Amino acid sequence: MPVRPPAPARPLLRGLGSWASVAWFLVPALVLFLVFVLAPIAVAVHTSFFKWGGIGPMDDFVGFENYARLFADQVFLGDMGRGLYLIVLSITVQLPFALFTAVLLNQRLRGRAVYRMLFFAPYILSEVVTAVLFTMIFLPGDGMADHLAGALGLEALQGKWLAEPSTVMPTLFVVMTWKYFGFHMMLFLAGLQSIPREILEAASIDGAGAWQRFRYVTLPLLGPTIRISVFLSVIGAIQLFDLVWVMTAGGPNHSSETMAISMFQFGFKRYQVGYASAISVVLFMISLVFSLFYQRYVLRRDLSGAVTTGGGR
């Protein structure tokens, strides 16, 4: 029988070359991810098991004592409750308002490009600039909000916007809505403009009114955009820090404090780095668990088929 010659090595070398090209582009990103994401998480988890002030060696191992103290702290439990409060308001008020505005600006209105720019402009501002601006607006006595409340006959609100526990969180939510709703509005606008007009025209020919077209055609086709917007709103509310820190620093009497602010207070103000690390780990775990759950059970339909294996199978 004739001896079959060995296969040429060119395909193997070509395969090795392609893997080398992949590694050339992938390794720098993996190094950055390891140094700036995974390593800080590992350090925070390690530090959370110690009673440490941030200076000197970590030699006072306390195990899960920081976590036990954390979940027995009424202030931290209140921080979690305030985060849930912002999440609920963001989903039930901010996002519907952004969706309504997007639907309105998707119509043929005179000057709609100007309106889009004006509504999106606050999102471009940094959180610190926004916080300083609204601190001046809600300034007791001389602020614009007090003058407007007096003109509307709401003198009971004057001077209380950021000074009373009963009004500080609604006030902060108003600022959050002003800052972020334009971003969600643009997401919804992009989703609306991706819906084929032929579908809406077919529904109109079949006798569907404006509300029926929105309810049974536009809203279902806008589902992926809405789900992404909800995800971003929840994660943003959980990790809210700089806007609240500049405006209230968590006051008065912890009534506007968030988990991120509590972590900053203990880590950089009270020098209880071990306890602050425990807060950061809990904050990370809440965000991670929610992200995995949301991707598994909510975004599953949107992500199906987006990731393929070799050969497109």
Side-chain angles (χ1 to χ4, degrees):
M1 296 180 60
V3 178
R4 187 176 182 179
R10 285 186 177 181
L12 178 60
L13 294 177
R14 190 180 299 115
L16 292 176
S18 62
W19 279 108
S21 300
V22 171
W24 176 260
F25 290 102
L26 192 60
V27 169
L30 289 178
V31 170
L32 291 175
F33 183 75
L34 175 65
V35 172
F36 293 105
V37 178
L38 295 184
I41 292 173
V43 171
V45 172
H46 175 72
T47 308
S48 67
F49 295 112
F50 290 84
K51 185 178 180 181
W52 185 51
I55 300 175
M58 285 187 290
D59 52 8
D60 191 359
F61 181 79
V62 295
F64 289 94
E65 181 179 321
N66 286 326
Y67 294 95
R69 173 189 168 191
L70 188 65
F71 288 104
D73 187 0
Q74 295 300 317
V75 174
F76 180 75
L77 296 179
D79 296 345
M80 298 179 68
R82 284 181 284 274
L84 182 62
Y85 172 85
L86 292 176
I87 290 173
V88 171
L89 284 183
S90 296
I91 295 175
T92 59
V93 178
Q94 179 177 297
L95 296 188
F97 179 55
L99 178 58
F100 171 78
T101 309
V103 171
L104 185 64
L105 294 182
N106 196 44
Q107 309 300 318
R108 293 184 177 179
L109 298 176
R110 178 179 296 179
R112 62 178 180 175
V114 177
Y115 291 124
R116 292 175 184 178
M117 181 190 66
L118 291 176
F119 289 144
F120 184 71
Y123 181 72
I124 301 175
L125 297 177
S126 70
E127 283 76 4
V128 174
V129 172
T130 301
V132 172
L133 173 65
F134 276 92
T135 300
M136 298 171 62
I137 290 175
F138 292 114
L139 191 67
D142 297 328
M144 184 188 301
D146 277 2
H147 291 297
L148 182 61
L152 296 176
L154 302 174
E155 289 82 2
L157 290 175
Q158 290 181 329
K160 296 182 179 180
W161 305 102
L162 300 174
E164 293 289 335
S166 59
T167 58
V168 63
M169 288 303 295
T171 302
L172 288 174
F173 176 72
V174 170
V175 179
M176 284 178 55
T177 302
W178 183 85
K179 175 76 172 70
Y180 295 111
F181 99 96
F183 169 74
H184 297 284
M185 180 202 71
M186 295 302 291
L187 288 181
F188 292 143
L189 267 175
L192 288 170
Q193 293 177 359
S194 67
I195 298 175
R197 290 194 174 274
E198 293 80 3
I199 299 178
L200 297 174
E201 292 173 357
S204 179
I205 293 174
D206 289 339
W211 169 250
Q212 291 175 320
R213 291 196 302 270
F214 176 77
R215 171 66 180 84
Y216 296 106
V217 179
T218 302
L219 206 57
L221 293 177
L222 204 61
T225 305
I226 294 175
R227 287 186 282 272
I228 290 296
S229 190
V230 169
F231 175 78
L232 295 176
S233 294
V234 173
I235 293 298
I238 291 174
Q239 301 177 353
L240 184 65
F241 171 72
D242 34 14
L243 194 69
V244 181
W245 175 254
V246 176
M247 292 187 69
T248 65
N253 194 25
H254 305 289
S255 57
S256 64
E257 192 172 277
T258 63
M259 288 184 285
I261 287 180
S262 182
M263 175 185 66
F264 182 84
Q265 290 275 19
F266 281 101
F268 295 95
K269 295 291 185 178
R270 305 182 188 182
Y271 300 103
Q272 299 180 27
V273 180
Y275 185 66
S277 298
I279 297 176
S280 69
V281 172
V282 171
L283 180 59
F284 167 73
M285 290 304 300
I286 291 174
S287 302
L288 178 64
V289 170
F290 169 76
S291 300
L292 295 176
F293 176 86
Y294 198 83
Q295 179 176 338
R296 177 66 177 82
Y297 294 102
V298 180
L299 297 180
R300 184 177 183 180
R301 291 184 302 169
D302 304 331
L303 297 177
S304 60
V307 180
T308 59
T309 57
R313 297 189 297 273

